[in-house]
Amino acid sequence: MDLARTEVAPAERPSGSAARLGLMVLPVAFFGLFFAYPVAAIVARGLRVDGVWQLGRLTEVLGQSDIRHVLWFTTWQALASTALTLLVALPGAYVFARLDFPGKQLLRAVVTVPFVLPTVVVGTAFLALVGRGGLLDELWGVRLDTTVWAILLAHVFFNYAVVVRTVGGLWAQLDPRQEEAARMLGASRRRAWRTVTLPALGPAVAAAALMVFLFTFTSFGVVQILGGPTFSTLEVEIYRQTSEIFDLSTAAVLTIVQFVAVGAILAVHAWTVRRRETALRLVDANMTARRPYGAGQWALLAGVLASIAVLLVLPLAVLVQRSLDAPGFAYYRALADEEGNVFLVPPIEAVGNSLEYAVAATAIAVVIGGLAAAALTRRDAGRLVRGFDALLMLPLGVSAVTVGFGFLIALDEPPLDLRSSWILVPLAQALVGVPFVVRTMLPVLRAVDHRLREAAAVLGASPWRVWREVDLPMVRRALLVAAGFAFAVSLGEFGATVFIARPDNPTLPVAVARLLGRAGELNYGQAMALSTILMVVCAVALLVLERLRADRTGEF
């Protein structure tokens, strides 16, 4: 038996490595062609003059006082947003992890809705709450749309679910008997939590904080709508330098700065994820939640519910209310008007355009992301595969504005002259969807017993048949969940789409932004109506995801 194992193992390793490299070919080609090439093209266009690299432009741009202010504000607001999000969301993570109460599953879906909403909708919702003529303005004469507080609160709204899902998911699986043992040995409740639970949660808290920092560091739609001319992040400044000032060299320098910063953030995030995967012993999450007991836990539950109502539900409710301000659904009816609008087509057509683009982007993301996840299945990966893993995450942090404008510059010659093709928008959206597909499918693929694959291979099954007969039945539900996430994020992509969507085929986020950029009550009301439609579509997709997640345990 040992001799047989010794003889088979060497033959399996090369074939396994070859199969893994084969799975990586299409994703690497996709990211190289539609991510690395456009980004490199726009950077080269900005930093090369008559074929000569102007590297001195780096120090020249970074030496400008207004650019240094943008860098400072980008970092400062990201740190402040991360700290505020952790402060508000960590109690919610505990409540969802350790307390059992009626409506918990529905509330979990409600909490997650803001994260899948487009940033344009988030900005619009807070504009309706704290902007001119908003709820706070009407009730108390208070406006926050010209202050940094509007941006910080919108970031908390958007990233609340990141902390609850990341930290709460791990917290629910920590064995409570370890903390109880510490208390039996004489430790107080606070000391037991500080010395037992907090160190175990540390990697999850760090991972959540890094993801929140990443999303807020590259924030675009929220700052674009709420910041106005006063506040500008790197992403907003890249957009301004590219589309308004047409200074590609400055935009290229800022793109490089953002790329380096995001690479560092992702490297630290990868380290925390690896630490979290290997350092903990977990139990069934269903065994740790219990009904609240004592005045303290009931007060905590009430406080979390109140914060969710004020910070998450109220902005969405105000958004819906503003879309219904005109009698007889006038703003919604105006969306179908062919005359007097800011588009070449009625704004309502943006709904169909967005759905079509999102479906195509989801198909691309599932194929590319599925192959990538299969290539990353084994944990004992070398540096090449780990580098491939990092490559998949880069589109979440690199300027989507740069990618979109890079598409126009790079993909303009045969055989890749795609500027007039409808596929350009789904390709850009799929770049954002692939990381979500990989992160959703990878844990499930790694949970499949590798001996099942080996047995199928020994019986003569090809790698494709092994995947079809062994992996696919077990990951089918995860594949559907991944497709749902890809659909939601594709539906709301804005940074790249704003450059490449044709005027006669606008997407919902682009249509909302253009309506908000035009004066007039009708344009504002139509923006609220379109945002409400987009919110409902995203919420429906999320509820389907939650249903799939709830049913998934029964499949395995």
Side-chain angles (χ1 to χ4, degrees):
M1 182 68 67
D2 293 338
L3 179 60
R5 189 181 297 116
T6 303
E7 292 174 351
V8 172
E12 289 176 348
R13 291 192 186 101
S15 61
S17 299
R20 178 184 293 177
L21 291 175
L23 291 170
M24 291 169 55
V25 168
L26 186 58
V28 168
F30 177 80
F31 275 82
L33 191 59
F34 298 114
F35 175 69
Y37 176 47
V39 171
I42 194 171
V43 170
R45 179 70 66 91
L47 295 181
R48 289 183 66 183
V49 179
D50 297 328
V52 179
W53 287 94
Q54 305 294 321
L55 298 182
R57 186 63 178 155
L58 292 170
T59 56
E60 182 182 339
V61 170
L62 296 178
Q64 299 175 11
S65 59
D66 56 337
I67 296 299
R68 290 201 305 270
H69 177 75
V70 169
L71 294 173
W72 173 84
F73 177 75
T74 301
T75 305
W76 177 86
Q77 64 83 27
L79 290 171
S81 297
T82 301
L84 188 60
T85 302
L86 290 175
L87 180 66
V88 173
L90 281 176
Y94 172 82
V95 165
F96 281 102
R98 291 298 172 88
L99 300 185
D100 189 20
F101 53 92
K104 181 178 176 179
Q105 295 300 324
L106 177 61
L107 190 63
R108 190 190 301 274
V110 170
V111 165
T112 313
V113 164
F115 181 69
V116 300
L117 287 180
T119 55
V120 171
V121 175
V122 175
T124 307
F126 272 82
L127 193 66
L129 179 63
V130 304
R132 179 174 58 85
L135 181 63
L136 295 185
D137 191 14
E138 290 183 353
L139 294 179
W140 299 295
V142 176
R143 288 182 57 188
L144 298 177
D145 57 321
T146 56
T147 70
V148 72
W149 279 106
I151 296 173
L152 297 182
L153 292 175
H155 284 161
V156 173
F157 170 90
F158 184 76
N159 293 293
Y160 187 96
V162 175
V163 178
V164 169
R165 291 276 181 168
T166 304
V167 180
L170 179 62
W171 208 335
Q173 293 180 276
L174 291 181
D175 192 345
R177 292 173 295 184
Q178 297 178 356
E179 189 173 325
E180 294 170 0
R183 295 198 62 196
M184 291 181 63
L185 294 174
S188 64
R189 182 184 297 274
R190 179 176 299 179
R191 184 178 180 186
W193 184 85
R194 189 179 69 250
T195 58
V196 177
T197 304
L198 184 58
L201 288 176
V205 174
L210 283 166
M211 290 303 295
V212 173
F213 184 84
L214 174 64
F215 290 139
T216 53
F217 187 83
T218 58
S219 182
F220 177 57
V222 168
V223 181
Q224 177 80 349
I225 292 175
L226 297 176
T230 307
F231 302 107
S232 179
T233 57
L234 266 175
E235 187 83 355
V236 174
E237 187 64 20
I238 291 172
Y239 175 78
R240 190 174 75 89
Q241 295 288 342
T242 302
S243 64
E244 298 177 10
I245 303 178
F246 304 107
D247 187 351
L248 290 185
S249 65
T250 299
V253 171
L254 297 181
T255 297
I256 293 173
V257 171
Q258 189 174 26
F259 184 84
V260 172
V262 167
I265 295 169
L266 291 177
V268 176
H269 178 261
W271 178 78
T272 59
V273 168
R274 286 197 299 270
R275 181 182 173 189
R276 183 182 62 184
E277 285 181 347
T278 58
L280 300 176
R281 297 174 61 185
L282 308 177
V283 298
D284 186 356
N286 295 324
M287 299 172 57
T288 61
R290 56 189 178 184
R291 300 283 293 182
Y293 67 92
Q297 288 197 349
W298 281 109
L300 178 63
L301 176 60
V304 168
L305 294 178
S307 66
I308 291 174
V310 172
L311 288 175
L312 305 186
V313 177
L314 182 60
L316 299 180
V318 172
L319 175 65
V320 176
Q321 185 267 326
R322 285 290 182 267
S323 74
L324 298 172
D325 266 353
F329 299 97
Y331 294 145
Y332 288 91
R333 288 189 287 107
L335 295 177
D337 190 0
E338 296 186 5
E339 300 180 359
N341 61 68
V342 299
F343 305 101
L344 300 178
V345 296
I348 194 63
E349 290 193 13
V351 178
N353 295 335
S354 288
L355 292 175
E356 291 174 2
Y357 287 144
V359 169
T362 299
I364 297 171
V366 167
V367 172
I368 301 298
L371 291 173
L376 295 169
T377 298
R378 293 186 59 178
R379 296 178 183 271
D380 56 339
R383 292 182 180 180
L384 176 63
V385 178
R386 287 198 296 270
F388 173 63
D389 192 9
L391 170 68
L392 299 175
M393 293 291 290
L394 281 177
L396 293 181
V398 174
S399 172
V401 171
T402 301
V403 174
F405 197 61
F407 269 33
L408 297 181
I409 291 177
L411 306 179
D412 63 341
E413 296 179 357
L416 286 174
D417 186 3
L418 301 177
R419 286 188 300 177
S420 60
S421 173
W422 68 273
I423 196 64
L424 205 60
V425 174
L427 287 173
Q429 294 174 345
L431 284 172
V432 184
V434 168
F436 288 91
V437 173
V438 173
R439 295 303 159 200
T440 302
M441 294 186 61
L442 190 55
V444 180
L445 283 170
R446 284 179 171 172
V448 177
D449 192 339
H450 67 91
R451 291 173 297 184
L452 295 176
R453 301 188 184 101
E454 293 173 356
V458 168
L459 293 174
S462 64
W464 165 246
R465 188 174 181 184
V466 170
W467 160 257
R468 189 178 71 248
E469 301 291 342
V470 177
D471 292 79
L472 184 58
M474 296 187 178
V475 302
R476 183 171 58 247
R477 190 76 67 179
L479 186 64
L480 293 174
V481 172
F485 268 117
F487 179 82
V489 298
S490 299
L491 198 65
E493 204 286 322
F494 174 62
T497 308
V498 71
F499 277 95
I500 56 182
R502 299 203 307 262
D504 58 340
N505 284 287
T507 64
L508 276 169
V510 172
V512 170
R514 289 180 182 172
L515 286 167
L516 287 175
R518 298 289 294 266
E521 182 180 349
L522 180 61
N523 289 326
Y524 180 82
Q526 289 183 89
M528 296 295 162
L530 275 180
S531 296
T532 301
I533 293 172
L534 186 51
M535 178 189 70
V536 170
V537 174
C538 290
V540 169
L542 180 65
L543 289 174
V544 173
L545 292 184
E546 285 297 319
R547 180 65 179 269
L548 291 173
R549 284 183 178 274
D551 293 343
R552 192 169 64 187
T553 54
E555 182 177 319
F556 294 105

